[in-house]
Amino acid sequence: MTQAPASPPPSRRRHDREIIALAVPAFGALVAEPLFVMVDSAIVGHLGTPQLAGLAVAAALLTTGVSIFVFLAYATTAAVARRVGAGDLSSAIRQGMDGIWLAILLGLAVIALTLPLSPWLVEVFGASDTAAPYATTYLRISSLGIPAMLVVMAATGVLRGLQNTRTPLYVAIGGFTANGVLNVGLVYGAGLGIAGSAWGTVIAQISMAAAYLVLVVRGARRHGASLRPDIAGIKASAQAGVPLLVRTMSLRAVLLIATAVAARLGDTDIAAHQIILSLWSLMAFALDAIAIAGQAIIGRYLGADDAKGAREACRRMVQWGIASGVLFGVLIILARPLFVPLFTSDQSVQDTLFPALLVVALTQPISGVVFVLDGVLMGAGDGPYLAWAMLVTLAVFAPVALLVPALGGGLTALWCAMTLMMAVRMATLWLRTRSGKWLVTGAAR
């Protein structure tokens, strides 16, 4: 009689359930964020080309400025998850409140800089004379929502640390819906133009932050955690975030260098590069969802003094990352003839894009491992190592990428340099996880 196939070990099934429960809602929330800009673009685009150009400049400045503070989510997730693992929910929420207070202070500082510097920033970014007034208007109004955006980041980190990624998904969906309705009503109904789009987004962001604060305040009262700002706690949150800030800025530098090199290769190459980068970013959202699950799960295991459980979870998530990368790579190759024409009908752009896209497809398993291990080490609170590893990666990538035009290379050569960048990241992260030095247990690292 034929034996039934062996079922996976109970620990593997448990890890799979945890990863799916956290990663799927996290992916939905991550995808919802860029939809804000897409909705604004679709609505403002009907006002005219100068308005849309102004929005593009302002949105790029806002996205770049806010993205460097993503450590508010990452560091808070790891710190809260550790305390959850240790069984101290009051301390976990208190840690989260420190992150939220830090977000408010940083947001107010950014407003103080952005309001007077908006015209200069728009000019430096290269906005045309016709687009600059619209860009300045949108940037000044939208900057008022930056504290709310940073609070959303920190509060999302709190809920992720509490092993809750469903609520951020619901809040993101609500915010996205409100943003669309408000934009249509204020831009066209109230006749406010691009200013209406900015105000609609600000109101939606403040509403999201308010929803998060209500949840966190309820949790604090339930578990007896103080809501008052604690200078020592805020300072500790800032110190924990500095290495992750260095890591994020180094990664942004890699992407900026790649775009600058592609621009030097010519209009055809930069157009193809933008399409590939958009697709690469979309796949990064999916892989980052697994990384977010890793931050929450690893932090909880280490807080519970379960180094063995953390190792097992890490091993299983790496397998998920590899499998996801293989799946994405196959999908890119098979669907390439279908989705590329949706982006461009220019045959020269398509011809330039195809071989570079093949490189991206073949290296997706590497990306899967990188994103997962990045999340694992963030969950372990290993920020200083992540900062140094990303600086080493930048030091390797920059000269190689800058040599591409000098040596007569094209877009495919540039994406080979991007592959080298990901390979270096994978090597540095794999060496760290293999060493076991990240396995620091306890309620605080």
Side-chain angles (χ1 to χ4, degrees), residues 255-263 267-279 349 352-353 411 414-415 418:
L255 298 178
L256 288 172
I257 289 170
T259 300
V261 170
D267 290 347
T268 299
D269 291 84
I270 186 61
H273 174 76
Q274 183 58 37
I275 294 171
I276 295 175
L277 192 60
S278 299
L279 181 64
V349 174
T352 302
L353 186 150
L411 188 66
L414 175 60
W415 276 94
M418 288 287 284

Side-chain angles (χ1 to χ4, degrees), residues 7 24 114 119 208 267 288 326 417 420:
S7 60
V24 173
T114 304
M208 292 172 66
D267 290 347
D288 202 28
V326 170
L420 171 65

Side-chain angles (χ1 to χ4, degrees), residues 3-305:
Q3 290 184 338
S7 60
S11 60
R12 181 181 296 181
R13 289 200 301 269
R14 185 180 72 251
H15 291 317
D16 287 346
R17 286 195 298 269
E18 287 183 332
I19 294 167
I20 292 171
L22 292 171
V24 173
F27 174 67
L30 288 168
V31 172
E33 291 174 11
L35 291 178
F36 271 80
V37 177
M38 291 180 63
V39 168
D40 288 4
S41 299
I43 294 172
V44 171
H46 291 286
L47 295 174
T49 300
Q51 289 90 334
L52 184 59
L55 172 65
V57 171
L61 285 165
L62 285 166
T63 301
T64 300
V66 172
S67 65
I68 65 175
F69 296 113
V70 73
F71 70 84
L72 289 166
Y74 293 159
T76 304
T77 298
V80 171
R82 274 185 176 270
R83 286 159 177 79
V84 168
D88 189 353
L89 288 178
S90 176
S91 178
I93 295 174
R94 174 66 261 178
Q95 182 73 35
M97 283 304 306
D98 292 336
I100 290 173
W101 279 112
L102 176 62
I104 293 172
L105 294 175
L106 290 174
L108 294 175
V110 173
I111 288 180
L113 290 173
T114 304
L115 286 177
L117 293 178
S118 288
W120 177 78
L121 290 170
V122 167
E123 182 181 354
V124 169
F125 214 77
S128 67
D129 291 339
T130 54
Y134 297 111
T136 301
T137 296
Y138 190 92
L139 183 59
R140 277 181 165 160
I141 296 173
S142 294
S143 68
L144 301 177
I146 288 177
M149 294 169 70
L150 300 190
V151 167
V152 166
M153 282 186 181
T156 299
V158 175
L159 293 180
R160 288 172 181 171
L162 294 170
Q163 317 296 296
N164 178 359
T165 56
R166 289 183 178 273
T167 299
L169 171 61
Y170 300 147
V171 174
I173 292 173
F176 169 72
T177 304
N179 181 58
V181 173
L182 287 167
N183 268 256
V184 171
L186 294 175
V187 171
Y188 298 114
L192 297 179
I194 195 170
S197 177
W199 280 117
T201 301
V202 168
I203 294 170
Q205 290 164 344
I206 292 175
S207 300
M208 292 172 66
Y212 275 120
L213 288 175
V214 168
L215 292 170
V216 174
V217 168
R218 284 179 180 174
R221 288 176 175 170
R222 187 182 308 120
H223 297 287
S226 173
L227 297 173
R228 295 180 179 179
D230 177 62
I231 301 301
I234 294 171
K235 183 178 179 181
S237 294
Q239 289 174 339
V242 168
L244 294 179
L245 175 63
V246 172
R247 167 209 168 268
T248 300
M249 293 183 70
S250 299
L251 182 56
R252 295 294 301 182
V254 165
L255 298 178
L256 288 172
I257 289 170
T259 300
V261 170
R264 292 178 62 187
L265 297 175
D267 290 347
T268 299
D269 291 84
I270 186 61
H273 174 76
Q274 183 58 37
I275 294 171
I276 295 175
L277 192 60
S278 299
L279 181 64
W280 189 78
S281 299
L282 178 61
M283 291 182 293
F285 280 127
L287 295 173
D288 202 28
I290 304 175
I292 287 169
Q295 293 171 30
I297 292 170
I298 295 298
R300 192 189 74 233
Y301 273 117
L302 294 178
D305 293 324

Side-chain angles (χ1 to χ4, degrees), residues 12 16 313-325 369 372:
R12 181 181 296 181
D16 287 346
C314 174
R315 188 179 302 113
R316 189 58 181 157
M317 280 183 284
V318 167
Q319 292 170 354
W320 271 76
I322 294 172
S324 300
V369 174
V372 166

